């Protein structure tokens, strides 16, 4: 992704939604969705009704995208944005959100380890022959559980 600079994001004139999408790596429909749910402020429009985005919009959108890549939920990202963003937020407030996210990640890792063990055991029991009782299929079939 190219670096977002004042000149690239068109500080004076702004950029249309397609250019913003290209600069940030966020799909156009996703940008519209973030506006709809008020994660991104509605941009000013040209006389013809086209959205025009500036540097702040590009930075917020890139922040949202990166947060999503790291597994943060939209409400967690909304909370981080509400804190004022980098340089304005209290480290304690950000730490609280990040600690909660870390707890969620650790829970998912524990669940994945359990799943790994279950699958490894089940696969080891599978002979590979054609039989009506396949242990791998058994764990996937809710009627047999």
């Amino acid at each position: 992704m190219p670096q977002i600079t004042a000149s690239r994001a068109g500080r004076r004139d702004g950029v249309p939604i397609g250019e913003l999408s290209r600069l940030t790596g966020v799909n156009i429909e996703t940008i519209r969705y973030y506006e709809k749910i008020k994660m991104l402020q509605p941009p000013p429009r040209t006389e013809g009704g086209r959205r025009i985005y500036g540097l702040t919009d590009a930075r917020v959108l890139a922040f949202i995208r990166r947060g999503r890549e790291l597994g943060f939920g939209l409400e967690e990202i909304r909370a981080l944005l509400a804190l004022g963003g980098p340089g304005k937020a209290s480290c304690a407030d950000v730490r609280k959100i990040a600690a909660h996210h870390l707890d969620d990640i650790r829970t998912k890792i524990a669940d994945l380890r359990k799943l790994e063990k279950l699958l490894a055991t089940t696969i080891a029991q599978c002979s590979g022959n054609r039989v009506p009782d396949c242990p791998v299929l058994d764990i996937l079939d809710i009627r047999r559980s």
Side-chain angles (χ1 to χ4, degrees):
M1 178 173 72
Q3 185 167 355
I4 300 167
T5 62
S7 61
R8 289 188 65 80
R11 181 173 280 195
R12 273 193 205 145
D13 299 348
V15 295
I17 196 167
E19 178 70 5
L20 181 69
S21 174
R22 190 182 68 70
L23 285 170
T24 61
V26 177
N27 183 287
I28 290 172
E29 290 304 316
T30 304
I31 295 170
R32 290 183 182 134
Y33 174 71
Y34 289 154
E35 286 176 26
K36 181 180 176 182
I37 65 169
K38 302 190 185 320
M39 294 284 293
L40 189 64
Q41 294 298 312
R45 294 181 180 251
T46 65
E47 289 181 18
R50 295 182 64 190
R51 295 170 169 92
I52 298 296
Y53 299 88
L55 178 60
T56 301
D57 301 312
R59 291 190 67 182
V60 167
L61 192 56
F63 182 87
I64 294 169
R65 186 181 127 270
R66 183 65 178 143
R68 298 294 289 151
E69 287 173 351
L70 294 173
F72 283 90
L74 289 177
E75 290 309 312
E76 291 170 315
I77 295 169
R78 185 187 305 276
L80 290 169
L81 288 169
L83 292 172
K88 296 179 182 175
S90 147
C91 189
D93 292 337
V94 173
R95 184 181 189 277
K96 183 178 177 182
I97 294 168
H100 181 266
H101 186 59
L102 179 59
D103 288 343
D104 289 346
I105 289 171
R106 286 179 173 154
T107 299
K108 289 176 187 175
I109 289 170
D111 289 345
L112 286 170
R113 285 188 177 129
K114 289 176 192 173
L115 178 60
E116 176 189 29
K117 190 173 187 177
L118 173 65
L119 283 174
T121 302
T122 305
I123 290 168
Q125 295 171 358
C126 185
S127 67
N129 297 327
R130 289 185 167 199
V131 293
D133 295 318
C134 175
V136 176
L137 292 176
D138 287 347
I139 69 167
L140 296 173
D141 187 352
I142 62 171
R143 292 179 291 162
R144 295 184 184 199
S145 298

